[in-house]
Structure formats: structure tokens, C-alpha cells
Amino acid sequence: DAKTTQPTSMDCAEGRAANLPCNHSTISGNEYVYWYRQIHSQGPQYIIHGLKNNETNEMASLIITEDRKSSTLILPHATLRDTAVYYCIVRVGDNYGQNFVFGPGTRLSVLP
Amino acid sequence: SQTIHQWPATLVQPVGSPLSLECTVEGTSNPNLYWYRQAAGRGLQLLFYSVGIGQISSEVPQNLSASRPQDRQFILSSKKLLLSDSGFYLCAWSRGRVNEKLFFGSGTQLSVL
């Protein structure tokens, strides 16, 4: 699976949009981009995933560049409860999860 | 709806003692099951995964073993714990279909002293 690089940490003001970048320059054509987040001492929570089109759900939006070498997770109105570590993962969309490789992620702090 | 249960939430064990962590999934059948470990301040490391009863694949050779005695039950074990086994252990499941998401349990914080 392609490796991803994310900033170590980011701050965001409460109520503002949080834009979390992820670089995956070696992504293959059949690899999806997944985002998870982990609040302290809890299991990671699925946020969103996509292949090449932008995606939106009730939690966030995922913007994937046309060349698919990078993506951005957008939390439109960040709240204090969005403070967490956010993981960007790329993996082949097969039926096994063993290639969900979690890196160190980005620690997002939402500030009052 | 599907739920995943993992227990205990916290565990303190002496070095050399055995370990048994249990994970069960409800509301689905024939899930893929996974054990991850997270050291303090680090990312998640996949330890074991299983695509069916009695089928276990190990990603990292170490002091731990896993078993799947029933379709929706996954157990992580050790005969003798080491200090380095301390960490946050997470069980996860996914449907055995293409492009499925991972769903995680709430985790077990293991401290080996």
C-alpha cells in the first residue's frame, strides 16, 4: 500500500473549518483513501473514504486532487469534541483489512 | 445493527503472567477479525487477522497468539507477558467484501509491571 504523510499536529478555532491534508504521491489506481480518527483512549472511528471523486457525509468532506496524489479532510464546523488524532490511510479495496496501515496521524486540537 | 465488544477495558498484569483478551462481534456473520496494538503516542500495529474460524494470520512474530474458536469470537493470548507487551489493544472487524470499512472496539489498556 502507498505510504501517506500527514502533519504531526494542527490547531483549529472552534466553529471554523478544519482542513487536514494528506500526501499519498505513490498511490495506485485501485487504492482508496480512508480517514479515521481516534479520540484519546478510544478505538479509531471511521470518518469517510473515496477513490477519486470528492465525497461528503454527515461528518466530513473528502477532497481528492485530480492526480490523486493528495487529499484533504474537511470538518466544516469544528467543535471541541473533534479534538483527536486523524489518520489518513490508502489501501486496495479488497476484502481483507490487513492492509489498513495506520501511521502516526495528525493530532488536531480544536481551541475555544 | 452490528456491535463489537472488547474486555476488559483496563488490565494490570505482572511480568510472566498469562493474558487472555476477548472480543466478540454481534449482528453479523463470518466477519474478518483483527487485533491491533498501539504503543503510547504511536500508530496502530496490526498483530493478527482472521478470515474464518480457526484461520489466523500473524503479522508480527512475538510473544502473543490469537485464536478464533467461534465465528464471532476472537481471543488474544500470551503464556508469559513481557514488559514490552504493555499497550492499548484494539479488536476490529470488517465484512468480508470488497472495499469494506474497519470497525473498532473500545480497546484494552494493558500495563505489564
Side-chain angles (χ1 to χ4, degrees):
Chain A
D1 289 327
K3 292 184 183 292
T4 62
T5 55
Q6 300 176 251
T8 302
S9 63
M10 294 181 61
D11 292 338
C12 177
E14 187 178 17
R16 306 297 289 269
N19 297 284
L20 292 91
C22 179
N23 288 322
H24 31 79
S25 59
T26 59
I27 193 170
S28 301
N30 61 346
E31 289 185 312
Y32 286 73
V33 180
Y34 284 76
W35 282 85
Y36 279 75
R37 73 179 183 184
Q38 186 177 23
I39 296 170
H40 182 63
S41 298
Q42 297 182 22
Q45 175 190 26
Y46 166 82
I47 301 173
I48 199 167
H49 75 286
L51 183 62
K52 54 183 177 181
N53 297 323
N54 297 336
E55 301 287 345
T56 295
N57 63 20
E58 65 279 4
M59 291 183 68
S61 295
L62 173 61
I63 308 298
I64 303 174
T65 58
E66 192 169 345
D67 63 8
R68 303 208 324 120
K69 292 185 177 182
S70 65
S71 60
T72 301
L73 178 74
I74 301 173
L75 308 179
H77 305 286
T79 71
L80 298 179
R81 287 178 294 181
D82 291 321
T83 293
V85 177
Y86 287 77
Y87 299 99
C88 170
I89 302 156
V90 295
R91 64 177 288 268
V92 175
D94 61 18
N95 60 341
Y96 297 120
Q98 69 271 25
N99 47 3
F100 270 99
V101 178
F102 287 77
T106 296
R107 183 172 299 277
L108 175 68
S109 299
V110 180
L111 308 175
Chain B
S1 63
Q2 299 81 26
T3 56
I4 179 169
H5 302 280
Q6 187 180 344
W7 66 92
T10 60
L11 190 60
V12 180
Q13 292 284 97
V15 170
S17 64
L19 172 73
S20 180
L21 301 180
E22 188 164 344
C23 171
T24 59
V25 179
E26 295 179 356
T28 189
S29 59
N30 197 29
N32 292 343
L33 297 171
Y34 312 86
W35 280 110
Y36 283 83
R37 178 172 62 194
Q38 186 174 34
R42 306 286 296 276
L44 279 70
Q45 178 187 37
L46 179 63
L47 301 176
F48 301 96
Y49 68 93
S50 170
V51 300
I53 296 174
Q55 301 178 61
I56 308 295
S57 296
S58 173
E59 291 293 299
V60 182
Q62 55 199 319
N63 186 41
L64 303 170
S65 62
S67 62
R68 184 170 178 173
Q70 300 180 44
D71 180 46
R72 291 169 290 167
Q73 183 184 29
F74 207 23
I75 298 172
L76 183 70
S77 304
S78 174
K79 293 182 179 178
K80 289 185 178 181
L81 284 169
L82 306 172
L83 288 174
S84 58
D85 292 324
S86 293
F88 190 48
Y89 288 82
L90 288 154
C91 182
W93 75 275
S94 69
R95 294 183 182 87
R97 299 198 299 258
V98 173
N99 194 27
E100 283 291 344
K101 304 177 283 291
L102 272 183
F103 299 93
F104 285 85
S106 53
T108 296
Q109 184 64 53
L110 172 66
S111 299
V112 182
L113 306 177

